[in-house]
Amino acid sequence: EPEVTQTPSHQVTQMGQEVILRCVPISNHLYFYWYRQILGQKVEFLVSFYNNEISEKSEIFDDQFSVERPDGSNFTLKIRSTKLEDSAMYFCASSLRGDGYTFGSGTRLTVV
Amino acid sequence: AQSVTQLGSHVSVSEGALVLLRCNYSSSVPPYLFWYVQYPNQGLQLLLKYTTGATLVKGINGFEAEFKKSETSFHLTKPSAHMSDAAEYFCAVRMNTGNQFYFGTGTSLTVIP
């Protein structure tokens, strides 16, 4: 069964550093998403991406965040200057038609 | 914004007993409804979804859910719990316009042998 692949599974970074989280969506999917889950809290929407541009973003997705689909297969989330409160599990998801998603297994980001 | 309420952050059932995980949503227009399961250190796996049509939806691993518009609910059930069902379960909604999902806070299911 096709999978969404996320790397790395766990990343530790120092506060203020830039971090890039990588995702390989399912190859024929057209819609791409990032969600995050702070420990013990609900899964929160960050951003959706379609047709090479952001289609929706939440208030969490401020100027410190950016997304890119650099080569037609990868979908990345960049955090420019990490804060302690960015520590969370980040999930990438993709969808063919914008309905049921397939989620990746997540990247656990720890900011120290 | 939409909200999704999952009553009971922790539910414990005995092996073989009925599993009932509750989900209510706030929307005047019926949204699309989903249940996801998250096993430890893994991603979110789709259990089942309701978009249109039959209100009783069957999913993987013997789970099913019923959309009740009058109650704005989409409770998840399984007749007989198995040890392997122990996981975190998330209810989610998506409006039929827009792509954003709104998740509940999750229910942790423990199955007691």
Side-chain angles (χ1 to χ4, degrees):
Chain A
E1 189 169 328
E3 289 184 346
V4 174
T5 306
Q6 289 187 245
T7 55
S9 57
H10 191 189
Q11 176 143 8
V12 181
T13 189
Q14 286 199 318
M15 192 169 55
Q17 294 296 305
E18 175 182 287
V19 67
I20 297 176
L21 309 182
R22 300 181 192 281
C23 170
V24 179
I26 293 173
S27 61
N28 63 337
H29 282 189
L30 302 175
Y31 297 82
F32 313 107
Y33 312 85
W34 283 100
Y35 282 74
R36 79 172 184 190
Q37 183 184 26
I38 294 172
L39 187 64
Q41 298 185 27
K42 68 172 68 176
V43 179
E44 300 173 293
F45 170 76
L46 292 178
V47 66
S48 62
F49 192 85
Y50 172 72
N51 202 24
N52 287 318
E53 60 183 24
I54 291 173
S55 48
E56 280 183 83
K57 61 181 181 178
S58 69
E59 60 271 18
I60 303 168
F61 194 87
D62 61 22
D63 292 344
Q64 292 298 312
F65 291 89
S66 63
V67 289
E68 197 176 33
R69 189 158 159 78
D71 55 13
S73 62
N74 291 283
F75 180 52
T76 61
L77 175 69
K78 182 192 292 185
I79 309 174
R80 287 189 183 79
S81 178
T82 50
K83 308 181 189 69
L84 294 176
E85 55 265 36
D86 293 327
S87 295
M89 181 76 95
Y90 287 81
F91 290 106
C92 173
S94 70
S95 171
L96 179 59
R97 296 183 202 86
D99 51 4
Y101 297 171
T102 301
F103 281 88
S105 55
T107 293
R108 182 169 298 285
L109 176 66
T110 302
V111 182
V112 298
Chain B
Q2 298 302 312
S3 74
V4 180
T5 304
Q6 290 184 241
L7 282 177
S9 57
H10 292 89
V11 170
S12 292
V13 300
S14 297
E15 191 175 15
L18 172 71
V19 176
L20 171 60
L21 305 182
R22 298 178 188 275
C23 174
N24 289 86
Y25 62 90
S26 68
S27 173
S28 57
V29 176
Y32 297 154
L33 298 153
F34 303 81
W35 276 98
Y36 283 87
V37 60
Q38 184 182 27
Y39 297 102
N41 300 314
Q42 294 189 29
L44 296 162
Q45 181 181 5
L46 179 66
L47 271 179
L48 48 78
K49 65 179 178 182
Y50 169 80
T51 53
T52 58
T55 56
L56 181 63
V57 181
K58 294 187 187 300
I60 61 171
N61 302 338
F63 284 93
E64 60 184 37
E66 187 171 11
F67 166 58
K68 292 187 176 180
K69 182 179 175 181
S70 60
E71 298 177 9
T72 60
S73 69
F74 192 56
H75 302 329
L76 182 71
T77 60
K78 181 173 179 176
S80 176
H82 193 272
M83 296 298 293
S84 61
D85 294 328
E88 188 88 13
Y89 291 81
F90 293 92
C91 181
V93 304
R94 182 178 76 84
M95 301 310 295
N96 49 20
T97 55
N99 293 317
Q100 184 179 155
F101 274 47
Y102 298 89
F103 283 83
T105 50
T107 298
S108 177
L109 176 66
T110 300
V111 181
I112 303 164

